[in-house]
Amino acid sequence: MTETNDAIIKRRLGEAERILVTGHIRPDGDAVGSILGLGLALLDAGKKVQMVLPDGVPASFRHLEGSDLIKTALEGEVDTFITVDSADFQRVHEDLRHLGKPALNIDHHITNENYAELNLVEADTVSTTSILTEHMPAWGLTITPPVAAALLTGLITDTLGFRTTNMVPKALHQAADLMAVGIDMPDLYYRAQVSRSFKAARYWGKGLAKIERDDEIVWAELTMEDRKAVNYHGNDDADLINLLSAIEECPVSLIFVEQPHDAVKISWRARGKEWDVAQIATSFGGGGHRAAAGATIEGSLDEIKPRVLSATREILFG
């Protein structure tokens, strides 16, 4: 009789002694929530676990219990390498890729390349934490309040507060079940979706001052100089893209974020099921979902912006 995927994963986790759990570079709420949710549950099961994010945990998720256990570097050897919320192996930090093919890849991106020995990829699921919420009990792992808080954070952030076009009833049922474990969902929601630092608000101002529109597309840019001017320490957009995506006249939005060493990170958002921005991101070496995708491209902002805008118009509007 052939083992089910859950049975295989349960057996592999049971045999593992020293486990590494990591996610993608520039981690978001789903990556942090997946690492922390799975990592804490494995620790509770008596496993030796290292949770590693070389880029560190973003300040907006450091309130989660156990987030201080996520380190920026691997210490010693591991026998089981797990990646979460990472569509391709290049999205895993270069400091960890020397470990070779992961034992397990858990993800929900439609562009996932199935690069591990075992691949639990469910592209119709709203977040990687949603996958974990469904499967972890079958692996013999317990969802305690700290685990539930981490998992729900990923569910909230990747659905932009339950409002992305891929929302399904199962995700709302999962949120209710996680809340019932005994966590403060309103507080988690506020911290994940509403709360912003003063520096982040000033950073938004820099981007909004340069907002542009061409028919149904809206975009903005954030430069290294913008970050320096407001003393914002991240290399991200402080979720400004989610504000751009709310502009009524424009179902497609982009943000260009200048990176160190002559590179630009681009995020796309699309409102409405007729748009697919993942195909644009994929054409630039990135990935994501129909409604939300991203890529990092080497080159200058002045060079990259017109190329990306032209490709976005061509692919989406012909």
Side-chain angles (χ1 to χ4, degrees), residues 111-125:
T111 54
N112 192 282
E113 297 180 353
N114 294 292
Y115 52 85
E117 295 173 16
L118 291 171
N119 298 282
L120 178 59
V121 179
E122 298 180 356
D124 58 348
T125 304

Side-chain angles (χ1 to χ4, degrees), residues 16-94:
E17 295 183 1
R18 299 179 303 280
I19 302 172
L20 165 65
V21 185
T22 191
H24 56 76
I25 56 176
R26 291 186 293 274
D28 58 5
D30 196 22
V32 173
S34 297
I35 292 167
L36 193 56
L38 179 58
L40 291 177
L42 288 167
L43 284 170
D44 290 340
K47 298 296 179 179
K48 294 179 180 179
V49 181
Q50 292 193 60
M51 295 175 276
V52 178
L53 280 172
D55 288 338
V57 177
S60 53
F61 304 117
R62 291 176 193 161
H63 63 280
L64 292 170
E65 185 175 341
S67 62
D68 58 314
L69 299 176
I70 300 178
K71 305 302 183 182
T72 57
L74 180 66
E75 299 176 358
E77 296 183 354
V78 296
D79 57 48
T80 304
F81 178 16
I82 300 174
T83 63
V84 294
D85 201 43
S86 302
D88 61 82
F89 199 40
Q90 294 302 308
R91 290 278 287 158
V92 176
H93 199 280
E94 61 183 0

